[in-house]
Amino acid sequence: MTADFRDDMTGAIHTISQQVNSRDLTGVARLIAGRTTSELVDVCERLTEKQRAVVFRLLAKQQALEVFEALAPALQSDLVSALRDSDVASLFASLDPDDRVWLLDELPAAVAPRLLRGLPDRERELTAVVLGYPKASIGRRMSPQYVTTHPDLSASQTLARVSAGLDHAETVYTIPVLDDGRRVAGVVSLRDLMAASGETVIAELMSQPHFSLATTDAEDAARACADLGLLALPIVDSESRLVGILTIDDAVRILEHEETEDSARQGGVEPLRRPYLSTPIRSLVRSRVLWLLVLAVGATLTVQVLEVFEETLNAVTVLALFVPLLIGTGGNTGNQAATTVTRALALGDVRSRDILRVLGREVRVGFSLGLLLGALGFAVATPFYSMPIGLTIGLTLVAVCTVAATIGGVMPLAAHAIRVDPAVFSNPFISTFVDTTGLIIYFVIAMAILQI
Amino acid sequence: MTADFRDDMTGAIHTISQQVNSRDLTGVARLIAGRTTSELVDVCERLTEKQRAVVFRLLAKQQALEVFEALAPALQSDLVSALRDSDVASLFASLDPDDRVWLLDELPAAVAPRLLRGLPDRERELTAVVLGYPKASIGRRMSPQYVTTHPDLSASQTLARVSAGLDHAETVYTIPVLDDGRRVAGVVSLRDLMAASGETVIAELMSQPHFSLATTDAEDAARACADLGLLALPIVDSESRLVGILTIDDAVRILEHEETEDSARQGGVEPLRRPYLSTPIRSLVRSRVLWLLVLAVGATLTVQVLEVFEETLNAVTVLALFVPLLIGTGGNTGNQAATTVTRALALGDVRSRDILRVLGREVRVGFSLGLLLGALGFAVATPFYSMPIGLTIGLTLVAVCTVAATIGGVMPLAAHAIRVDPAVFSNPFISTFVDTTGLIIYFVIAMAILQI
């Protein structure tokens, strides 16, 4: 190390501490880029604890690992507690999400779980921001308390690890097997461990692992855990290194919450925060009024459409009689399609890229339903009113059902593709949309057939 | 035993075997009523295996237990296999459900799990009929393979039991603790067992048990298991004796199935049997057409209502313009209430007996929403049309929202009270119902204000 460099370092450290204080994280990132590990260790050792945590967090993943390993164990644990510090967390939390993705590389798997370990749930959520896991990702919900083993260890050695982990691990019933690089090579169940003779090596006992990335949507990871019937699902970073574990009871809680939200949104209601009977009337009103207003404003379109056709309506008042029936049937057909496709999406049976297949299917289903209802409508309306009226009703039903099923089926997928909760394009939303379309179809067909 | 009785017995046995062959189970039940245990054992020993199974199953619980215990072990296991026989099962399956409840007492807990043990899932369902558990009850879904322990046993003795049960038990992670009468006195987790020293008695380790009755609805038991975050829930008979166990993975499967069903029904669709993309178009049509027809027939009511008010409509055509907006808003308000209450019911937050509280809340919520929307409707419609039209729109919105929220909130509870799936009174159903009511309200108000 030359005197020159030392001067440079002193200057750099001064600048860095100023930049951290003025929350200029981009500046810090720029200043530490391209330095060697030993330089960075040197910088780290000469900053205050909080400053050190900030600098460390701005390192690229590989470099962060090297710096961390180069620190003395006492300094390592100081660093971990500084990273958990609420000032540091709030500094990163205040970053624009896009900046955060850009500035914060994944933390090495050697550090990430240590950061979360022992924190109560509330604080874990905050610290997950420091880890850089996106909102609603499983990285924010996983537990960092697990027992692991190694393929070369024996069953009895692993049982000893289980015994040691009994009082703090989230679960001891599913044990991830890690290779030398902390990558998940398999899982072994406590049951299989107990059934095996003590000398059996884990490599023979372990089964192929299922796992989810920490950045996966929490709902998807929870559904994977539940669908596979697993008691716990290992959570890994982008290099398949273990960073946490999701247990089935947490997965069930996540799914239940999501299902309550989906069901609420489909009904055009904001999800309630507490049980129905203990929610104040005011909050119930608030959970519904916004959507109701949006939908009512949307429905003014129907008034405008009817105004356009007011002359037709004046000439043949009988047309007005069928308006609720026709748009109601359209709404129902649209809701049926939307309900089926939304659920299929939630269960992972359908994906955004299936949109053309869904379109093709819903056109056919809607057309079939339309033919059935249309024939019936024609047969019933003709004797009561007249042949032209019957024909108008029948053809409108065919067209409306086809359009409604198609819109209802495609809308949730389109929402999903642009990363909007498909349930937001709720049944009431689709009804309102289909109402307007249905009225236009109705009057266009009526004018053509009745020659007005 | 007198000669008389022996003659009587020979006759009785002859009659019984005739009655079993002619499937007259009520006759058999009448004939064996009031006999002593030793007489019954005598009867049992002289019948064919299948006949013996039928007679045994028709005994009252306590007597069944005494007879079972009086039989030689070889005969006991013959009896168990005969009870599993598909001929015997189909005999009981063919009984009218009411007769079945009346004729089949609960089987003793000493027999019930033996009957189910080792059966594949499909056959278990059939045999559950013999056990008398009602359709959709958890008794038909639970597993009879469990490891149990006793309060006086030590941790190491229990661990030995766990080791012995490793290859057949459904779970070894939750171990029910049974007292001398097979009643569930507590549960102990494998984790706590491993953490304890070997001599600790189970009575010190076990925690208060949660359990469900075998006759409980499968969904309710599954929800209890999931909500309590349990890995397994013991299932008991009416005397708290263990008859089976429900593991969390099965509970999750039950809940997911129920949620798919609920979501489908709320959209007015029959649940699909397979993933959406692999369901043939014909089945998709079939899953929707029935409800669509029912709703369309229901919607003809709106045509009739409009016919009644045709003169009013002719006099003031402008009234027709608002029909879709008004009934649409009513439908949305009704759906919102129905969605919220249906979900609260599914989560157990609301019960049937809360119907009056729900009614009171929904009247207030609906009225508040109606006031907001009505004021807005009045303010917007008056300048564009006229004061009387604005007033009509405003007041109709107040009335329609109040009525719709009330109907939407109360309907699912009413359905639940009469044991109909609340989701069947689906959102489309409520929309159609509210459409008709809304139209009547609209025209009555219009006639009063416009003096026509």
Side-chain angles (χ1 to χ4, degrees):
Chain A
M1 225 181 265
T2 64
D4 248 21
F5 175 74
R6 244 189 230 117
D7 288 353
D8 175 40
M9 282 299 283
T10 315
I13 286 163
H14 183 69
T15 321
I16 287 174
S17 73
Q18 274 185 328
Q19 282 168 331
V20 172
N21 292 344
S22 62
R23 305 188 150 231
D24 174 14
L25 299 188
T26 325
V28 180
R30 208 176 299 125
L31 217 80
I32 58 177
R35 304 223 173 236
T36 66
T37 305
S38 69
E39 283 171 14
L40 288 166
V41 171
D42 210 24
V43 170
C44 278
E45 282 170 355
R46 291 159 73 185
L47 290 168
T48 70
E49 285 200 0
K50 286 182 194 175
Q51 288 170 345
R52 184 189 304 140
V54 173
V55 169
F56 177 77
R57 193 58 197 90
L58 292 170
L59 295 175
K61 186 174 182 182
Q62 187 50 37
Q63 212 159 28
L65 182 59
E66 284 164 16
V67 169
F68 190 76
E69 284 174 347
L71 291 176
L75 239 65
Q76 285 185 346
S77 65
D78 283 357
L79 179 58
V80 167
S81 22
L83 280 166
R84 283 176 179 179
D85 188 282
S86 60
D87 287 347
V88 176
S90 70
L91 178 59
F92 289 110
S94 69
L95 273 179
D96 184 81
D98 290 340
D99 286 345
R100 211 185 292 150
V101 170
W102 182 76
L103 279 172
L104 303 190
D105 196 0
E106 218 175 38
L107 261 188
V111 184
R114 278 186 68 169
L115 199 51
L116 293 173
R117 215 160 275 164
L119 286 182
D121 282 2
R122 264 175 324 114
E123 290 174 38
R124 206 186 280 169
E125 174 76 23
L126 189 66
T127 303
V129 176
V130 179
L131 283 164
Y133 301 134
K135 218 181 153 191
S137 70
I138 195 62
R140 297 213 181 176
R141 305 293 295 272
M142 69 193 188
S143 164
Q145 326 268 31
Y146 41 74
V147 173
T148 64
T149 183
H150 186 279
D152 297 342
L153 288 180
S154 68
S156 58
Q157 284 171 314
T158 306
L159 278 173
R161 283 184 170 213
V162 167
S163 297
L166 281 174
D167 60 335
H168 66 263
E170 182 83 14
T171 179
V172 292
Y173 300 139
T174 302
I175 304 147
V177 183
L178 304 188
D179 67 14
D180 295 324
R182 285 188 65 85
R183 279 178 297 267
V184 179
V187 288
V188 61
S189 71
L190 179 56
R191 185 173 181 153
D192 290 343
L193 266 187
M194 293 176 76
S197 79
E199 315 81 58
T200 322
V201 291
I202 296 301
E204 288 173 29
L205 288 177
M206 72 190 192
S207 55
Q208 275 300 315
H210 296 277
F211 45 73
S212 275
L213 281 172
T215 49
T216 307
D217 190 81
E219 184 182 0
D220 294 338
R223 179 135 350 247
C225 181
D227 282 353
L228 295 165
L230 301 174
L231 292 183
L233 183 72
I235 307 296
V236 299
D237 70 9
S238 58
E239 295 169 309
S240 305
R241 293 179 215 261
L242 189 73
V243 291
I245 200 158
L246 171 69
T247 51
I248 181 73
D249 51 319
D250 286 336
V252 165
R253 215 162 292 136
I254 291 170
L255 288 178
E256 194 158 273
H257 180 77
E258 290 291 337
E259 254 139 22
T260 300
E261 245 182 46
D262 276 9
S263 127
R265 295 240 170 88
Q266 275 183 2
V269 198
E270 279 309 301
L272 301 179
R273 297 246 177 86
R274 354 178 175 176
Y276 173 81
L277 288 177
S278 45
T279 305
I281 300 285
R282 236 181 331 150
S283 308
L284 285 178
V285 172
R286 213 178 303 126
S287 75
R288 303 186 193 173
V289 72
L290 184 68
W291 271 109
L292 210 52
L293 275 175
V294 169
L295 295 168
V297 170
T300 56
L301 268 177
T302 61
V303 181
Q304 288 167 42
V305 169
L306 284 173
E307 269 184 343
V308 171
F309 296 108
E310 207 173 353
E311 272 180 51
T312 318
L313 210 51
N314 264 323
V316 198
T317 333
V318 72
L319 285 178
L321 304 187
F322 300 99
V323 165
L325 174 91
L326 293 173
I327 63 179
T329 303
N332 292 338
T333 313
N335 284 347
Q336 288 185 324
T339 301
T340 307
V341 174
T342 304
R343 183 66 185 165
L345 254 176
L347 290 177
D349 291 344
V350 163
R351 282 158 214 287
S352 298
R353 61 162 187 272
D354 297 319
I355 195 160
L356 286 180
R357 288 182 68 191
V358 171
L359 182 90
R361 308 189 115 231
E362 288 302 329
V363 168
R364 285 152 73 196
V365 174
F367 185 68
S368 310
L369 291 169
L371 276 186
L372 277 162
L373 287 181
L376 200 76
F378 172 74
V380 173
T382 303
F384 281 105
Y385 301 91
S386 68
M387 174 74 132
I389 294 288
L391 208 57
T392 305
I393 305 298
L395 287 177
T396 304
L397 282 170
V398 176
V400 163
C401 286
T402 311
V403 170
T406 312
I407 292 174
V410 168
M411 199 89 94
L413 289 174
H416 190 70
I418 57 168
R419 288 168 183 283
V420 169
D421 183 349
V424 168
F425 288 91
S426 57
N427 290 355
F429 178 88
I430 285 171
S431 297
T432 308
F433 191 86
V434 167
D435 281 2
T436 312
T437 326
L439 284 175
I440 299 178
I441 293 174
Y442 181 36
F443 281 99
V444 168
I445 290 179
M447 285 165 77
I449 291 181
L450 307 174
Q451 306 281 334
I452 24 178
Chain B
M1 225 181 265
T2 64
D4 250 18
F5 174 73
R6 241 185 234 124
D7 288 351
D8 175 39
M9 280 300 282
T10 314
I13 286 163
H14 183 70
T15 321
I16 287 175
S17 71
Q18 274 185 330
Q19 281 169 332
V20 171
N21 293 343
S22 62
R23 305 184 151 232
D24 175 15
L25 299 187
T26 325
V28 180
R30 208 176 298 123
L31 217 81
I32 57 178
R35 304 225 172 234
T36 67
T37 303
S38 69
E39 282 168 15
L40 288 166
V41 170
D42 210 21
V43 169
C44 279
E45 281 169 355
R46 291 161 72 185
L47 291 168
T48 70
E49 284 199 0
K50 287 182 193 174
Q51 288 171 345
R52 185 190 304 139
V54 173
V55 169
F56 177 77
R57 192 59 199 87
L58 293 170
L59 296 174
K61 187 174 182 179
Q62 187 51 37
Q63 212 160 26
L65 182 60
E66 283 165 16
V67 168
F68 190 77
E69 284 173 346
L71 292 177
L75 239 63
Q76 285 184 347
S77 63
D78 283 355
L79 179 60
V80 167
S81 22
L83 279 166
R84 282 175 178 182
D85 188 282
S86 61
D87 287 346
V88 176
S90 69
L91 179 61
F92 289 111
S94 69
L95 274 179
D96 184 78
D98 290 340
D99 285 347
R100 211 185 291 150
V101 170
W102 182 76
L103 278 172
L104 303 189
D105 197 359
E106 216 173 41
L107 261 188
V111 184
R114 279 185 67 170
L115 199 52
L116 293 173
R117 215 160 277 163
L119 286 184
D121 282 2
R122 263 176 322 117
E123 291 174 38
R124 206 186 280 167
E125 175 76 23
L126 189 66
T127 303
V129 176
V130 178
L131 283 164
Y133 300 134
K135 220 181 149 190
S137 69
I138 195 62
R140 298 212 181 178
R141 305 292 295 271
M142 69 194 187
S143 164
Q145 326 269 33
Y146 40 74
V147 172
T148 64
T149 182
H150 187 279
D152 297 343
L153 288 180
S154 69
S156 58
Q157 284 170 314
T158 306
L159 277 173
R161 284 186 170 212
V162 167
S163 297
L166 281 175
D167 60 336
H168 66 263
E170 182 82 16
T171 180
V172 293
Y173 300 140
T174 302
I175 303 145
V177 182
L178 304 188
D179 66 12
D180 295 323
R182 287 188 62 83
R183 279 178 297 267
V184 180
V187 287
V188 61
S189 71
L190 179 56
R191 185 174 183 151
D192 289 344
L193 266 187
M194 293 176 74
S197 79
E199 315 82 59
T200 323
V201 290
I202 296 300
E204 286 173 30
L205 289 177
M206 70 189 192
S207 56
Q208 274 300 315
H210 295 278
F211 46 73
S212 274
L213 280 173
T215 49
T216 308
D217 190 82
E219 184 180 0
D220 294 339
R223 180 138 346 250
C225 181
D227 283 353
L228 296 163
L230 301 175
L231 292 183
L233 183 71
I235 307 297
V236 299
D237 70 9
S238 58
E239 294 167 311
S240 303
R241 295 180 214 258
L242 188 73
V243 289
I245 201 156
L246 171 69
T247 51
I248 181 75
D249 51 321
D250 286 334
V252 166
R253 215 161 290 137
I254 292 170
L255 287 178
E256 193 159 275
H257 180 77
E258 290 291 337
E259 254 139 23
T260 300
E261 246 181 44
D262 276 10
S263 126
R265 294 239 170 87
Q266 275 182 2
V269 198
E270 279 308 301
L272 301 179
R273 297 244 177 87
R274 352 179 178 176
Y276 173 79
L277 288 178
S278 46
T279 304
I281 300 285
R282 236 181 329 150
S283 308
L284 285 177
V285 171
R286 213 178 304 127
S287 74
R288 302 185 193 172
V289 72
L290 184 70
W291 271 108
L292 209 54
L293 275 175
V294 170
L295 295 168
V297 171
T300 57
L301 268 177
T302 60
V303 181
Q304 289 167 42
V305 168
L306 284 173
E307 269 183 345
V308 171
F309 295 108
E310 209 173 352
E311 270 181 52
T312 318
L313 209 51
N314 265 324
V316 198
T317 334
V318 73
L319 286 179
L321 305 185
F322 300 99
V323 165
L325 175 91
L326 293 174
I327 63 178
T329 302
N332 292 338
T333 314
N335 284 347
Q336 288 185 323
T339 302
T340 308
V341 173
T342 303
R343 183 67 187 165
L345 254 177
L347 291 177
D349 291 345
V350 163
R351 281 157 216 287
S352 297
R353 60 161 188 272
D354 297 319
I355 196 160
L356 286 179
R357 288 181 67 191
V358 172
L359 182 91
R361 307 189 115 230
E362 289 302 329
V363 168
R364 285 153 71 197
V365 173
F367 186 68
S368 311
L369 290 169
L371 275 185
L372 278 162
L373 286 182
L376 200 74
F378 173 74
V380 172
T382 303
F384 280 102
Y385 301 92
S386 68
M387 174 71 130
I389 293 289
L391 207 57
T392 306
I393 304 297
L395 287 179
T396 303
L397 280 170
V398 177
V400 163
C401 287
T402 312
V403 170
T406 311
I407 292 174
V410 167
M411 199 91 91
L413 289 174
H416 191 70
I418 57 168
R419 286 167 185 283
V420 169
D421 182 348
V424 168
F425 288 91
S426 57
N427 291 355
F429 178 90
I430 286 170
S431 297
T432 307
F433 191 87
V434 166
D435 280 1
T436 312
T437 326
L439 284 175
I440 299 177
I441 294 174
Y442 179 35
F443 283 98
V444 168
I445 291 179
M447 285 164 77
I449 291 181
L450 307 173
Q451 306 281 332
I452 24 178

